[in-house]
Amino acid sequence: SDLSSGINAEWPLRPGDTMPKSKRDKVVPLTVTKKKSYDTKKELVSEIQECCDKYAHIFLIEVHNERNNLLKEIRESWKHSRLFLGRNKVMAFSLGRTVETEYKKDLHKLAKALVRKRGLLFTNEKVEDVKDWFKSHKQFCYARSGSIATETVVLPDGPLDFPHSMEPQLRQLGLPTRLKDGVIVLDQEHTVCTAGKVLNTQQAVILKHLGNCMAEFQIELMSHWSNDVFTVLSESNSAMEINEPDSEDDDVIEDVNEN
């Protein structure tokens, strides 16, 4: 066609010629990403071991009902100390998982309990001051899907105190609603959630609309280490063995060990 002949005339392609590569089509070798991951983990190991030498106290903490904005406030309040959350396997390696490999005496007991939403707080503050601060800093927040309902919430039939524009949304959430004279009406009594049962997404959204803060954000002090002495602070601090590290962490840990 005229169009194709015009293109060929403008950009004549000969056998063996290829179209220019897009600048966005950039290949990143796997060795580069692996090296970056290795360096990051190696730095974390060094940081934690330096903190073991710098700070007098180490607390094993557990975050309940984690919320990023509230956790940010905690970090801001404890800028004079160091708080580590995430990378449990690397943190455990830094402390030493066994008596033979522990960085300092009895640190392996902290390492064994680094599971789930747990982390480490390094500080020079007095133990009682730390306990009192975290005991008083709790905050209720909206429960999320997967949380356990702490109470049974039942809505009686009749008018609901919501803007009329929300009626379709409430109906989609499972509430038997309708509009009557511009007012949202619940046709029959409805149980939003039952105490002790797991909340689904719809229930969590309804509770939020109702202003019901059923969850509580808090950081619990599980155990404490200082001067080679390990002390359990919470009964729920079970000595849970950490899972075997996956192959990637295993490789990195071996590399750190060799260097």
Side-chain angles (χ1 to χ4, degrees), residues 77-239:
S77 299
W78 287 83
K79 287 169 65 175
H80 49 76
S81 304
R82 290 298 304 274
L83 179 62
F84 293 90
L85 286 170
R87 301 270 189 171
N88 285 349
K89 293 174 183 176
V90 181
M91 288 195 291
F93 171 78
S94 307
L95 300 177
R97 297 185 183 125
T98 64
V99 175
E100 294 76 23
T101 61
E102 62 186 8
Y103 186 68
K104 289 188 177 183
K105 185 176 183 295
D106 273 356
L107 279 181
H108 77 281
K109 295 179 181 179
L110 284 178
K112 287 168 64 178
L114 270 169
V115 295
R116 299 191 302 271
K117 294 288 185 178
R118 294 184 179 180
L120 299 172
L121 172 66
F122 294 84
T123 184
N124 286 323
E125 299 295 311
K126 294 179 181 178
V127 174
E128 289 306 316
D129 290 344
V130 177
K131 288 181 180 179
D132 291 341
W133 195 93
F134 281 100
K135 189 175 181 180
S136 63
H137 282 73
K138 301 176 183 179
Q139 187 169 332
F140 282 101
C141 52
Y142 295 117
R144 292 176 175 173
S145 174
S147 301
I148 304 297
T150 58
E151 61 177 297
T152 299
V153 177
V154 179
L155 296 177
D157 60 341
L160 294 176
D161 189 19
F162 291 113
H164 65 87
S165 58
M166 285 187 61
E167 196 277 330
Q169 182 183 354
L170 295 175
R171 197 161 7 98
Q172 288 180 351
L173 291 171
L175 295 178
T177 60
R178 62 186 172 88
L179 274 178
K180 182 178 180 182
D181 299 328
V183 177
I184 301 178
V185 176
L186 197 64
D187 283 335
Q188 61 190 47
E189 183 182 272
H190 181 81
T191 300
V192 178
C193 62
T194 305
K197 291 192 175 181
V198 178
L199 297 174
N200 60 33
T201 303
Q202 290 76 17
Q203 291 171 317
V205 173
I206 293 173
L207 289 172
K208 185 174 182 179
H209 286 317
L210 293 172
N212 189 318
C213 294
M214 196 172 282
E216 185 180 40
F217 168 83
Q218 66 166 314
I219 290 184
E220 183 181 3
L221 303 178
M222 311 302 293
S223 55
H224 169 255
W225 180 94
S226 182
N227 294 324
D228 298 342
V229 178
F230 172 83
T231 307
V232 173
L233 302 178
S234 172
E235 293 181 1
S236 58
N237 182 43
S238 55

Side-chain angles (χ1 to χ4, degrees), residues 5-64:
S5 61
I7 292 176
N8 290 333
E10 250 183 281
W11 297 289
L13 292 178
R14 293 169 295 185
D17 287 349
T18 57
M19 293 294 290
K21 291 184 178 180
S22 169
K23 291 182 180 180
R24 291 175 295 179
D25 187 19
K26 187 177 181 180
V27 179
V28 180
L30 291 177
T31 52
V32 174
T33 57
K34 185 175 181 180
K35 179 68 164 61
K36 184 177 179 181
S37 176
Y38 159 74
D39 288 341
T40 301
K41 292 177 182 178
K42 185 176 181 181
E43 287 172 9
L44 179 57
V45 170
S46 298
E47 277 188 63
I48 290 177
Q49 291 181 345
E50 286 173 8
C51 286
C52 290
D53 298 326
K54 180 179 178 181
Y55 295 95
H57 304 284
I58 309 175
F59 289 89
L60 176 72
I61 63 172
E62 181 165 347
V63 182
H64 298 280

